[in-house]
Amino acid sequence: MDKVTLIATTTMGLEAICAREIKDLGYTEVTVENGRVLFEADLSAIPRANLWLRTADRIKVRVGEFKAFSFDELFEKTKALPWADLLPPDAEFPVIGRSVKSKLFSVSDCQAIVKKAVVESMKKKYKREWFDEDGPFFRIEIALLKDVATLTIDASGQGLHKRGYRALHNQAPLKETLAAAMIQLTTWDQDRPFADPFCGSGTLAIEAAMIGQNIAPGFNRDFVSEEWHWIGDERWNQARQEVEDLANYDQKLDIMGSDIDHRSIELAKGNAMEAGFGDLISFKQMQISDFRHKGSYGIVVANPPYGERLGERDEVEQMYRDMGRVMALHDTWSVYLLTSHEGFEKLYGKQANKKRKLYNGNIKTDYYQFFGPRPPRKEESPTI
């Protein structure tokens, strides 16, 4: 097996950002669909995609895709796929499933049929009647959409948003993949100040530090496909060596997180320490009305409270007014804010240059983008 079709699943609205990340890794056969990005690649892409993609939820290997209008058709077409090329005889292979707008709507029946078909396929190849399933883990998914069945194997294990640094979080943590996308949608670079005045458990600040030093988001965790024999240790070792070679640990960064809640600040400090940025990111307890930064041409990226809970709305709306006044004092800065509050611009006192629909979990939000002036170009040193 030289080439595979990989599927990077994403939160709705992040597909184009994920596709750009995949292309930046050097893969050109990329197709963007709702909630996922497909790309053709060699086997080394499995470890590289898992390690490097900041906005993908999971990496899946597509085993087959076909139309299935009956259980018999699902069984026979699944059985015909080359399962024994992927699953060793001791593989543990549970089957999960989902079905949307398809004749085969019973997910539990589809799971059972796929499991039976895979077993029958492996019996034929391995010449045995029983599989103990006490070896490497291969989670198979049968996904039916409008009668098209897609069979995949999850190559990530835990979701890719679990970077390994956030042992502790507050009540409403921002998912790491969304935080990374929010940063990538800004004009921030390593030479400009970065601030999150509603930092919570520090996710945006930590993701910014990882981006700023070109540290792969998966550098500090394991993946289920590390145990797959047909990928092999050499490909994983090469991918991890690439991660180490490309990281720029000496890159200086100006990153600040602040929050009104002292418990959040302690959480953020602990998470930053776990990620290796304890000395790089500064965290301060501060309400938004007191926010000040001496730097110019900085970037604020924030996920403030939305005021959706009963009794919070008045307080949150005053917070938005205060932020508008404070950021008016930082007239060279750009501001990027995520909220579901439909009256945000009026409260902030300014119309956004651009808005983008994003989903924070199940909450439909707008990402408001207020562009500041471009920083002046650095003068090049004269050559001698």
Side-chain angles (χ1 to χ4, degrees):
M1 179 171 36
D2 297 323
K3 274 205 163 189
V4 285
T5 299
L6 300 180
I7 299 173
T9 62
T10 71
T11 302
M12 293 288 285
L14 304 189
E15 300 93 340
I17 306 168
C18 184
R20 186 176 65 198
E21 288 190 271
I22 291 167
K23 290 174 183 176
D24 287 345
L25 286 176
Y27 305 113
T28 56
E29 299 177 56
V30 180
T31 304
V32 178
E33 298 180 358
N34 287 335
R36 64 182 198 169
V37 183
L38 288 79
F39 59 109
E40 306 290 327
D42 58 23
L43 291 180
S44 66
I46 296 175
R48 294 186 73 228
N50 272 302
L51 286 163
W52 281 106
L53 295 185
R54 301 182 191 279
T55 58
D57 291 327
R58 290 183 180 279
I59 304 301
K60 299 177 181 181
V61 180
R62 189 175 74 179
V63 184
E65 189 168 278
F66 49 80
K67 288 189 176 182
F69 299 100
S70 69
F71 289 131
D72 284 344
E73 195 171 12
L74 178 62
F75 178 83
E76 293 299 336
K77 289 182 176 179
T78 299
K79 182 182 173 184
L81 294 171
W83 294 104
D85 292 345
L86 302 169
L87 277 58
D90 62 344
E92 180 184 355
F93 54 103
V95 179
I96 62 170
R98 52 193 170 92
S99 179
V100 179
K101 297 179 181 177
S102 297
K103 288 184 173 62
L104 303 181
F105 58 84
S106 172
V107 173
S108 58
D109 286 338
C110 291
Q111 288 173 237
I113 286 164
V114 166
K115 179 77 174 184
K116 184 179 178 182
V118 174
V119 169
E120 290 301 316
S121 175
M122 291 176 68
K123 278 182 181 180
K124 187 176 180 181
K125 179 68 178 281
Y126 290 119
K127 310 295 184 189
R128 57 197 294 182
E129 291 298 313
W130 182 258
F131 299 95
D132 290 325
E133 296 196 45
D134 56 1
F137 190 80
F138 295 79
R139 189 177 69 179
I140 298 168
E141 182 181 45
I142 168 64
L144 286 148
L145 175 61
K146 297 179 181 178
D147 300 313
V148 175
T150 304
L151 283 151
T152 59
I153 302 175
D154 173 29
S156 297
Q158 286 191 316
L160 295 181
H161 70 283
K162 295 195 174 181
R163 317 290 207 213
Y165 64 76
R166 196 166 72 179
L168 302 170
H169 56 77
N170 53 7
Q171 287 184 341
L174 185 68
K175 207 171 179 180
E176 292 89 335
T177 45
L178 178 57
M182 289 168 63
I183 296 163
Q184 291 184 76
L185 287 168
T186 74
T187 55
W188 181 68
D189 62 41
Q190 301 93 323
D191 296 324
R192 300 173 73 173
F194 179 100
D196 175 9
F198 304 95
C199 71
S201 55
T203 306
L204 277 162
I206 294 169
E207 290 295 318
M210 293 177 79
I211 292 169
Q213 291 194 336
N214 199 35
I215 295 172
F219 84 103
N220 196 32
R221 55 160 287 177
D222 299 323
F223 304 92
V224 70
S225 49
E226 290 181 73
E227 301 297 319
W228 295 0
H229 66 284
W230 44 272
I231 297 177
D233 291 341
E234 186 177 350
R235 289 188 179 92
W236 275 102
N237 291 338
Q238 286 175 348
R240 289 196 180 276
Q241 187 61 52
E242 179 188 38
V243 164
E244 188 64 29
D245 291 344
L246 294 178
N248 184 5
Y249 299 114
D250 296 325
Q251 175 66 52
K252 295 187 185 304
L253 299 170
D254 181 352
I255 298 176
M256 184 183 87
S258 58
D259 201 287
I260 195 171
D261 181 12
H262 70 92
R263 292 166 299 183
S264 293
I265 294 299
E266 292 308 310
L267 282 174
K269 286 180 178 178
N271 289 334
M273 189 75 69
E274 184 67 28
F277 302 124
D279 297 329
L280 187 69
I281 306 171
S282 64
F283 290 103
K284 300 176 184 177
Q285 183 183 358
M286 186 192 307
Q287 59 187 359
I288 185 60
S289 57
D290 294 330
F291 176 84
R292 299 290 186 277
H293 197 293
K294 294 179 181 178
S296 301
Y297 303 101
I299 302 285
V300 163
V301 185
N303 176 45
Y306 302 163
E308 296 198 337
R309 292 178 186 167
L310 196 64
E312 283 186 355
R313 196 168 184 85
D314 290 346
E315 183 181 343
V316 164
E317 289 181 349
Q318 184 57 48
M319 192 185 296
Y320 292 162
R321 293 187 190 97
D322 290 342
M323 186 166 195
R325 285 192 286 269
V326 164
M327 293 318 302
L329 302 174
H330 298 73
D331 56 359
T332 64
W333 283 56
S334 298
V335 179
Y336 299 80
L337 283 158
L338 187 73
T339 179
S340 64
H341 195 303
E342 293 181 357
F344 171 74
E345 286 171 303
K346 186 175 181 181
L347 294 163
Y348 187 77
K350 189 176 180 182
Q351 188 172 358
N353 298 100
K354 192 174 180 181
K355 284 196 300 185
R356 185 180 183 126
K357 296 285 183 191
L358 293 175
Y359 281 87
N360 185 0
N362 294 321
I363 303 172
K364 188 177 180 181
T365 63
D366 282 302
Y367 192 40
Y368 294 89
Q369 302 170 51
F370 302 89
F371 303 144
R374 290 183 179 180
R377 286 185 179 180
K378 288 184 177 180
E379 292 186 11
E380 294 183 9
S381 301
T383 55
I384 299 174

